[in-house]
């Protein structure tokens, strides 16, 4: 609606100002103040038409005109929808928006609520077809200018990266930024080298991530390192002293933290399939019942392996057999297939964890000693033992068994499993930690 059609009515004028960067905003009289002063002068010249500016300030300093995600603009739109504004006054139309589609949406919104849009330096009326044509032409040039500026910035970034310059963004662990350049932070650099070295030793990002989280190792932002961050760190060519732009690496101005040999060894592992790395990790883990299983005579049963072709067979064998000791009339097995006996022990553990007396004992212990695990979560962990167990790496499973089992005795009639009931509450805590980590590869 044209303001001339409402001469007898007081028109509430909202002044909107915007500046794309924060440069100069701390000055006593900045660009936003200059825009507002020009708009106030224009509104004063229209006082005879009933114009009066609102004291509410709608200033967006440091926000691009290519998006509508601006706090002051959002507040202005909300006030328009609430019927608090009659006229919106800006210094130039590109202060409100540089994007043609966004501006069209705003004009439609203003029309729906009977709000007039005025540019102090560009004379047009948005309620007429000629005014809209003029507006679209001006906006097209504003959008063209914005796109040309963006292309210049992209070209500048590309040229700078080719020269190895640091162009901002997240500062990688191991470096600090001084005078727009990356300088090695020796303490963090030592942590980065250790991560690469441990990855080469372990061959698994999952195992290393869990180890780092147990040590409460943090990234540059102070949050715990997870597997996703670990992969990004291991693949970041900044640590080789390079600057990367759109997949192409160039010699950087900064010093390398990781030498070529360590980098190549780590990336040789990364090039293997995740499934193969996981299988390698599992093959290196200790036997589940090592140090816990004994024969009826009291002799320890030690884990052994035999290989037939490409297949590996695991066993627990009595030290009486290995040392050729006389066992008299013993009738209990002295050699057991590892998979079978381990499965039997886990089944017994599962059965014991479901018994009412154990559940009651665990809840009581957790209530007394652990404030961070609720009763509902504890019950869930006891009932979901199978699911939690399969999420653990064999090394973690072995640690859990060590906490739960005091002794396993092989008899002629079967297995006698002596459970550490006092350790079950600790196991619940142990099994909760891995749930916060990513699943094994």
């Amino acid at each position: 609606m044209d303001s001339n059609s409402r001469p007898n009515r007081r028109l509430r004028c909202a002044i909107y100002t915007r500046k794309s960067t924060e440069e100069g905003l701390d000055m006593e009289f900045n660009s936003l103040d200059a825009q507002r002063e020009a708009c106030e002068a224009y509104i004063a010249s229209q006082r005879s038409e009933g114009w009066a500016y609102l004291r509410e300030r709608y200033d967006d300093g440091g926000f691009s005109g290519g998006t509508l995600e601006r706090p002051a603009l959002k507040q202005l739109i909300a006030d328009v929808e609430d019927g608090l504004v009659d006229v919106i006054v800006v210094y130039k139309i590109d202060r409100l928006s540089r994007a043609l589609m966004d501006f069209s949406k705003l004009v439609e919104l203003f029309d729906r609520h009977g709000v007039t849009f005025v540019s102090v330096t560009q004379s047009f009326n948005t309620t007429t077809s000629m005014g809209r044509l003029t507006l679209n032409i001006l906006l097209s040039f504003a959008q063209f200018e914005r796109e040309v500026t963006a292309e210049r910035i992209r070209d500048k970034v590309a040229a700078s990266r080719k020269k190895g310059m640091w162009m901002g963004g997240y500062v990688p662990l191991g470096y600090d930024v001084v005078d727009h350049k990356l300088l090695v932070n020796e303490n963090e650099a030592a942590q980065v080298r250790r991560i690469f070295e441990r990855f080469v030793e372990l061959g698994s990002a999952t195992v290393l991530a869990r180890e780092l989280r147990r040590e409460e190792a943090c990234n540059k932002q102070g949050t715990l390192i997870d597997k996703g961050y670990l992969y990004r760190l291991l693949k970041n060519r900044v640590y080789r002293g390079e600057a990367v732009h759109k997949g192409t690496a160039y010699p950087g101005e900064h010093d390398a933290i990781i030498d070529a040999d360590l980098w190549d060894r780590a990336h040789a592992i990364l090039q293997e399939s995740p499934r193969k790395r996981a299988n390698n990790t599992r093959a290196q883990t200790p036997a589940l019942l090592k140090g816990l299983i004994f024969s009826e005579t009291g002799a320890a049963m030690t884990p052994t392996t035999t290989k037939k072709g490409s297949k590996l067979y695991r066993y627990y064998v009595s030290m009486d057999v290995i040392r050729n000791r006389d066992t008299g009339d013993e009738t209990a097995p002295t050699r057991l297939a590892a998979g079978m006996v381990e499965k039997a022990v886990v089944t017994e553990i599962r059965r014991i964890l479901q018994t009412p007396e154990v559940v009651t004992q665990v809840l009581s212990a957790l209530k007394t000693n652990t404030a961070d695990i609720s009763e509902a979560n504890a019950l869930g962990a006891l009932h979901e033992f199978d699911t939690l167990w399969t999420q653990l790496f064999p090394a973690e499973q072995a640690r859990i068994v060590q906490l739960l089992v005091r002794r396993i005795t092989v008899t002629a009639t079967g297995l006698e499993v002596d459970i550490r009931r006092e350790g079950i509450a600790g196991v619940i805590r142990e099994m909760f930690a891995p749930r916060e980590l990513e699943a094994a590869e």
Side-chain angles (χ1 to χ4, degrees), residues 147-281:
E147 290 172 355
V148 168
T149 302
E151 287 177 1
R152 289 172 181 164
I153 293 172
R154 286 194 294 269
D155 291 343
K156 179 182 178 181
V157 170
S160 300
R161 295 300 278 173
K162 289 178 182 178
K163 292 182 179 180
M165 298 172 62
W166 170 252
M167 295 303 295
Y170 287 111
V171 181
L173 184 69
Y175 292 97
D176 293 324
V177 175
V178 179
D179 296 331
H180 305 288
K181 293 185 178 182
L182 290 178
L183 297 181
V184 175
N185 179 318
E186 291 301 336
N187 290 334
E188 293 180 359
Q191 182 183 1
V192 172
R193 293 188 195 100
R194 179 181 174 275
I195 288 173
F196 271 83
E197 290 165 355
R198 284 294 290 160
F199 178 70
V200 170
E201 293 171 8
L202 296 171
S204 169
T206 300
V207 175
L208 178 54
R210 290 176 177 173
E211 179 180 294
L212 292 172
R213 286 178 72 93
R214 283 196 295 269
E215 296 172 359
E216 298 186 349
C218 294
N219 59 26
K220 193 79 173 179
Q221 288 71 45
T223 57
L224 292 177
I225 292 176
D226 59 17
K227 193 169 72 171
Y229 179 87
L230 186 57
Y231 272 124
R232 292 193 295 274
L233 183 147
L234 292 170
K235 294 177 181 179
N236 193 344
R237 300 196 68 86
V238 167
Y239 297 119
R240 285 290 299 117
E242 297 174 348
V244 179
H245 181 68
K246 293 187 175 180
T248 303
Y250 305 94
E253 290 184 335
H254 61 282
D255 294 330
I257 290 177
I258 303 301
D259 60 42
D261 177 63
L262 182 55
W263 177 271
D264 290 342
R265 283 188 290 153
H267 279 252
I269 296 172
L270 286 172
Q271 288 171 6
E272 294 181 356
S273 70
R275 185 178 297 276
K276 183 177 179 182
R277 292 206 306 273
N279 289 337
N280 291 339
T281 303

Side-chain angles (χ1 to χ4, degrees), residues 343-359 382-383 385-386 404 415-419 421 424:
K343 183 178 179 181
V345 170
V346 172
T347 299
E348 178 64 9
I349 292 173
R350 184 187 306 120
R351 184 193 67 79
I352 292 173
L353 291 181
Q354 302 298 320
T355 58
E357 60 270 23
V358 167
V359 172
L382 289 170
H383 290 296
F385 179 81
D386 287 350
L404 279 176
L415 298 175
E416 294 179 357
V417 182
D418 185 10
I419 296 291
R421 297 199 176 192
I424 297 177

Side-chain angles (χ1 to χ4, degrees), residues 70-81:
R70 289 170 264 159
L73 179 59
K74 286 184 176 181
Q75 183 60 52
L76 176 60
I77 291 172
D79 290 348
V80 167
E81 292 174 339

Side-chain angles (χ1 to χ4, degrees), residues 7-18:
N8 299 322
R9 193 180 147 215
R10 180 178 177 274
L11 300 179
R12 298 160 297 178
C13 302
I15 299 173
Y16 178 79
T17 64
R18 182 185 64 80

Side-chain angles (χ1 to χ4, degrees), residues 291-292 349 352-353 358 361-362 399-407 417-427:
L292 298 174
I349 292 173
I352 292 173
L353 291 181
V358 167
Q361 182 181 347
V362 169
R399 188 175 70 252
I400 296 298
V401 169
Q402 293 289 331
L403 288 170
L404 279 176
V405 179
R406 181 177 289 108
R407 185 183 180 95
V417 182
D418 185 10
I419 296 291
R420 299 177 188 270
R421 297 199 176 192
E422 70 280 4
I424 297 177
V427 167

